[in-house]
Amino acid sequence: MCLLAGKRVLCEKPMCLTLKKTKEIIHLAHDKGLFLMEGVWSRFFPIYTRIREELVKGTIGEVQNVQVSMGFAVHERDRTKFRAFGGGGLYDFGIYPIQFANWILGKPDKLTCSGHLTAEGVDESSSMSLMYPHNRMASILLTTKCDLPNEAYVFGTLGHIKIWPVHCPTHMQTPNGIEEHPLHAPDMRLNYLNGIGLRFEAQEVRKCLVKGRLQSNKMPHSETELLSKLMHQSAFEIGVDFEEDEKKQSRSNSRTASFHAEAIATGVFP
């Protein structure tokens, strides 16, 4: 709606539940010549810059592996409980560890995923393996049943880097010690952990708009499409197919519309 109205858009992640819809929105933004970015706020935290600096310096040698755990006891919240809301851990917060692995290792060659579904038909817990070029890989553990450490590790031939919390990192450990990157204290109560860090994402959007860019180099449309594809594949392997749900809903809406049309016609023209 915003793009159709000529508005630039910063969209909360995930942009859509299906790859088809994601592509449609990106193409619409291109056609309209409007800025569009998926709001993966993690990428704009200062620690990401520090990680890249350490990797370029070779502090941990050749990167070989990424491991991420992310879990919260949120299985009873509506947004994670119900399939109609796009529920489950994968679509609620699974994008964070997947995008981190891609940011470190690039585009994966292969993905496998297994997990458990709830009675509502959404993922309760899942384990994911992503294979990358040059025999590198990432392992991801997700759950909505309990709190996990919410840490990410980057392992290299000479050591490792650890950051936490995964989605809004303020701490980093390297072979040289622990660094803390504290955020400014908010002057009001916030709904999310380290929510003041959303300003980094907002600053990136402003920078792009000032320079007349239609997308961010740090979170390009190609990455949004890739993440959508990987999440769809992961969910499908567990037993969740939002694309099929969408088709069923469309058919249901068509039947409902047809029924209402017939009822109206019957009432008006006995």
Side-chain angles (χ1 to χ4, degrees):
M1 290 176 63
C2 292
L3 290 172
L4 289 173
K7 303 295 183 181
R8 304 173 181 91
V9 175
L10 169 62
C11 180
E12 168 63 349
K13 58 77 196 162
M15 187 172 287
C16 298
L17 291 177
T18 68
L19 177 59
K20 179 176 179 290
K21 288 293 186 184
T22 299
K23 287 182 175 180
E24 287 177 359
I25 290 177
I26 290 174
H27 291 162
L28 177 60
H30 287 175
D31 292 342
K32 294 286 187 179
L34 293 169
F35 176 85
L36 172 69
M37 189 181 85
E38 184 175 25
V40 182
W41 65 320
S42 311
R43 290 205 171 188
F44 308 101
F45 273 72
I47 277 184
Y48 269 60
T49 300
R50 284 289 300 116
I51 294 172
R52 188 66 73 196
E53 290 172 351
E54 293 300 319
L55 295 181
V56 170
K57 284 165 54 179
T59 301
I60 63 170
E62 274 189 53
V63 174
Q64 299 296 311
N65 189 279
V66 170
Q67 291 184 10
V68 189
S69 70
M70 194 166 186
F72 304 94
V74 293
H75 59 288
E76 289 299 332
R77 295 186 183 180
D78 287 354
R79 77 167 196 268
T80 53
K81 183 176 182 179
F82 297 111
R83 187 155 171 158
F85 294 166
L90 181 62
Y91 276 86
D92 192 75
F93 50 79
I95 192 172
Y96 292 123
I98 298 174
Q99 68 82 27
F100 180 75
N102 287 353
W103 186 75
I104 294 292
L105 300 173
K107 182 179 180 180
D109 296 323
K110 182 181 179 182
L111 178 150
T112 58
C113 186
S114 60
H116 298 288
L117 299 183
T118 67
E120 299 288 343
V122 299
D123 61 291
E124 177 180 271
S125 59
S126 61
S127 178
M128 198 180 309
S129 292
L130 297 97
M131 312 300 288
Y132 293 84
H134 310 298
N135 296 328
R136 299 178 300 170
M137 66 182 297
S139 303
I140 296 171
L141 178 63
L142 301 172
T143 183
T144 62
K145 285 287 285 185
C146 61
D147 294 334
L148 294 182
N150 296 318
E151 299 168 339
Y153 290 85
V154 181
F155 293 98
T157 53
L158 299 178
H160 71 271
I161 293 173
K162 169 185 170 183
I163 67 167
W164 69 96
V166 173
H167 59 307
C168 50
T170 53
H171 292 75
M172 178 174 80
Q173 182 176 7
T174 72
N176 299 319
I178 295 177
E179 297 180 14
E180 183 176 0
H181 296 258
L183 303 174
H184 293 296
D187 56 6
M188 64 181 71
R189 182 181 178 276
L190 301 178
N191 292 324
Y192 301 102
L193 174 67
N194 294 340
I196 196 71
L198 286 166
R199 70 190 183 93
F200 302 126
E201 179 181 75
Q203 289 168 351
E204 172 67 12
V205 172
R206 183 181 185 281
K207 186 187 303 180
C208 290
L209 295 181
V210 169
K211 294 184 178 181
R213 294 175 180 169
L214 300 183
Q215 58 181 308
S216 166
N217 294 332
K218 292 184 178 180
M219 189 60 207
H221 297 163
S222 58
E223 182 68 8
T224 290
E225 283 197 30
L226 175 60
L227 289 171
S228 181
K229 179 180 179 180
L230 294 174
M231 289 195 295
H232 169 74
Q233 182 181 339
S234 300
F236 184 79
E237 292 190 10
I238 298 172
V240 180
D241 188 350
F242 286 118
E243 287 193 0
E244 184 60 30
D245 289 356
E246 191 175 84
K247 292 176 184 177
K248 289 179 180 178
Q249 183 62 41
S250 178
R251 290 194 293 268
S252 175
N253 290 343
S254 296
R255 288 195 297 270
T256 301
S258 176
F259 171 78
H260 286 319
E262 290 176 7
I264 291 172
T266 301
V268 177
F269 304 107

